[in-house]
Amino acid sequence: MAAALVKGQNAGLASGEVVLSVRGGVAADLSALLVTDAGKVRSDADFVFFNQPQAPGVRLHGAGLEVSLGAVPVEIAQIRAVITVAAEGDTFGGATSPVASVADRAGNVLHEYVIDGLGRESVVIALELYRRGDQWKVRAVGQGYAGGFADLVTDHGVSVDEPEAVVEVRTVPGEAALSFEKRQRLDMRKREVAKVLIDKSAFGARARVVLVIDKTGSMEKMYRAGTVHRVVERMIPVATQLDDDGVLEAYLYALSYVKLPDITVEGGEQWAHTYLHLKGTHQGVDYNAIGGRNDELPIMRAVIDTLTEPTLVLFFTDGGFAKKREIAAVMREAAHLPAFWQFIGLGTANFGVLRTLDELDGRVVDNAGFFALDDIDQISDAELYGRLLGEFPDWLRAARAAGILR
């Protein structure tokens, strides 16, 4: 029979191979922090979460954390099992108390801890395994962080304002070719992207980033004013933090579409001047042939045909999407594929079916988000990246649970 623990109580571990898990309460994700005597992680490698499921001696497998205590590095003094609410806006106080348990590898429950007394917390350290001489012990912690993941990492010596304190913000080939001013601007934007990923427990996630840009005649003012050029510049930092190669895959669309060369960090400005056009022939591309009115189905089909790995689609448009039934059917089909579609409306036009994506039924997972901006140049980088990436980590978790991602 399992030994019941109360908050603050500890007990010895007879087995060197244990599984930590949490059941009941609000839907939550399980992760772990491996910390030193100072209560700090050594590097990002000491975070175990859905996108980085393994560290020395600790593995996230299914609904549990498998711990081989003999394989934990000697510098690690404690392993803290953390639960984070899965849905934005939920708290642990909104449901029954979660129950944390320690079992042996055969499934025999050794210790249980009912984590009661929770309120507005969205992140809680449930249990802690710690060294006492040559022995490992378990302690019932139940310490919550109402402010979420940002408060948790700050308490462990991580500055969310400077995420590179835990792990360097990713640097990709070509950055050294930029001027000092451009590198500074890029670095500031990369930090804002990293902040969002850290706060959403998705730092270190990898995905292709596909940029789709509206080339219809109604976009002429935004092309002429350089708005679309600036959109491209602001999307490059997203690719540096998510894509293995740090590049943006790019399409322009209207009635038809064209796949353009990838956008690199060092070539972004030249790429925009070379390929962002509404008319004429440039670098062998006949822009007139793409058309001046919109039909989203061909470009959506083209992107779908490329989906073999986790992908974030950033789809910029100033409206249309009139084929509501057909587009809804495509999004239902695409829900089975490894991509999240983030639609961004530019201006105040009619965005049709995009405004109802969150209510679209018949999908195995929620695979799309939408927001509109009257003037994208007036929104800060922090707010823009927060909205661009706010739903993507939730999709990653849901897609893994549904078997869409492995």
Side-chain angles (χ1 to χ4, degrees), residues 2-5 8-18 20 69 102-104 109-112 128-132 134-140:
L5 300 176
Q9 187 178 1
N10 61 69
L13 290 174
S15 175
E17 304 281 333
V18 296
L20 311 184
L69 295 170
V102 181
D104 61 24
V109 178
L110 309 175
H111 304 281
E112 280 195 340
E128 178 179 85
L129 305 186
Y130 66 100
R131 296 182 192 268
R132 182 64 70 217
D134 294 333
Q135 185 186 16
W136 280 90
K137 304 184 77 173
V138 58
R139 178 185 290 118

Side-chain angles (χ1 to χ4, degrees), residues 177-193:
L178 299 175
S179 67
F180 178 74
E181 180 183 355
K182 289 179 180 177
R183 284 203 308 272
Q184 278 192 314
R185 187 184 308 124
L186 175 65
D187 285 343
M188 286 189 293
R189 285 174 169 162
K190 289 196 299 183
R191 289 202 220 21
E192 296 298 342
V193 172

Side-chain angles (χ1 to χ4, degrees), residues 208-393:
R208 291 170 61 213
V209 184
V210 174
L211 178 63
V212 178
I213 303 176
D214 192 332
K215 191 212 73 72
T216 55
S218 57
M219 290 279 293
E220 181 177 2
K221 184 177 179 180
M222 281 185 266
Y223 273 78
R224 191 172 62 245
T227 302
V228 181
H229 290 61
R230 290 186 288 276
V231 164
V232 171
E233 181 184 357
R234 295 173 84 179
M235 294 307 102
I236 289 172
V238 177
T240 67
Q241 300 308 294
L242 286 176
D243 186 89
D244 279 336
D245 298 321
V247 300
L248 274 170
E249 301 176 41
Y251 293 82
L252 293 185
Y253 88 97
L255 283 171
S256 182
Y257 66 90
V258 61
K259 171 72 168 70
L260 295 172
D262 293 345
I263 307 170
T264 63
V265 166
E266 73 274 22
E269 185 174 349
Q270 184 60 47
W271 185 97
H273 287 296
T274 303
Y275 293 107
L276 289 180
H277 304 285
L278 295 176
K279 300 176 181 178
T281 300
H282 307 271
Q283 296 294 307
V285 178
D286 184 352
Y287 285 73
N288 296 317
I290 303 171
R293 294 182 294 107
N294 63 297
D295 183 352
E296 290 75 23
L297 293 174
I299 178 60
M300 293 176 75
R301 281 286 174 200
V303 172
I304 284 173
D305 287 344
T306 71
L307 297 178
T308 60
E309 59 187 290
T311 301
L312 172 62
V313 182
L314 302 174
F315 200 117
F316 287 84
T317 177
D318 75 337
F321 288 77
K323 297 181 178 180
K324 181 174 181 178
R325 184 176 61 184
E326 294 90 339
I327 291 171
V330 169
M331 292 310 299
R332 290 187 181 100
E333 174 189 342
H336 295 273
L337 301 172
F340 183 80
W341 301 69
Q342 181 62 63
F343 295 94
I344 304 96
L346 300 174
T348 57
N350 176 20
F351 295 105
V353 67
L354 294 183
R355 294 196 179 277
T356 62
L357 282 176
D358 282 340
E359 289 77 45
L360 183 62
D361 59 8
R363 293 176 295 166
V364 62
V365 295
D366 182 355
N367 63 331
F370 170 74
F371 62 91
L373 300 169
D374 291 351
D375 185 350
I376 195 169
D377 285 328
Q378 296 303 308
I379 188 172
S380 69
D381 290 328
E383 184 176 354
L384 178 61
Y385 297 138
R387 299 183 74 172
L388 278 175
L389 300 170
E391 296 184 56
F392 175 63

